[in-house]
Amino acid sequence: MIYDDVQMSDSIGNPLESAGRPLAPGPRRFVMNTGRTTKQGQQVSSGKFLDDYTSTVSTMQMHPDDMKEIGVPSGSAVRVRSLWGEATFTCIEGKTPSGMVFVPYGPPTCRLMGQYTDGTGMPLSKGWEVEVELLELPSAGSRS
């Protein structure tokens, strides 16, 4: 596939620089939003390298109907790809609108961000188009 002539831009037409490759044509895409959660805020004061914090920022929430549509049971490992990179998350059912996924902001989401900051000094962390791919079904003792 040839992607040299693809113009990548944000929702208002600003060009986006990508170190990755364009998303594959065809697969269902979702809008990814990241943000800080209260639980994450409490955990960060204990340390970003503890298992609780790592688990929180590595867990993606998705609408149950979307999970069913793409064949991802709750607790599964999924690969998420953006224009800029990819990361692995545990996918659980969440109270997100259909078509959207949510992950607490952290090291895994940084792998999905581009360099474009819209003049803020912080890469855009909301509204990315992503692909979600099942990697591994949940183990018998995993959470859901």
Side-chain angles (χ1 to χ4, degrees), residues 65-89:
D65 292 342
D66 291 339
M67 292 174 69
K68 185 175 181 180
E69 179 185 333
I70 64 169
V72 173
S74 192
S76 297
V78 295
R79 175 184 297 124
V80 176
R81 274 195 65 234
S82 74
L83 289 171
W84 303 279
E86 63 184 48
T88 301
F89 298 94

Side-chain angles (χ1 to χ4, degrees), residues 32-126:
M32 176 174 258
N33 286 309
T34 65
R36 306 262 187 211
T37 66
T38 303
K39 182 177 180 180
Q40 179 187 20
Q42 294 166 344
Q43 292 170 335
V44 75
S45 63
S46 300
K48 287 186 175 185
F49 301 106
L50 297 178
D51 290 342
D52 284 346
Y53 181 83
T54 302
S55 176
T56 296
V57 299
S58 297
T59 301
M60 178 179 83
Q61 297 179 27
M62 182 181 248
H63 191 280
D65 292 342
D66 291 339
M67 292 174 69
K68 185 175 181 180
E69 179 185 333
I70 64 169
V72 173
S74 192
S76 297
V78 295
R79 175 184 297 124
V80 176
R81 274 195 65 234
S82 74
L83 289 171
W84 303 279
E86 63 184 48
T88 301
F89 298 94
T90 299
C91 186
I92 62 170
E93 293 181 2
K95 295 179 181 178
T96 60
S98 183
M100 186 183 97
V101 296
F102 175 81
V103 181
Y105 178 79
T109 59
C110 291
R111 292 184 200 110
L112 302 171
M113 291 182 187
Q115 299 175 25
Y116 185 71
T117 67
D118 199 22
T120 66
M122 172 72 178
L124 300 177
S125 62
K126 295 183 179 3

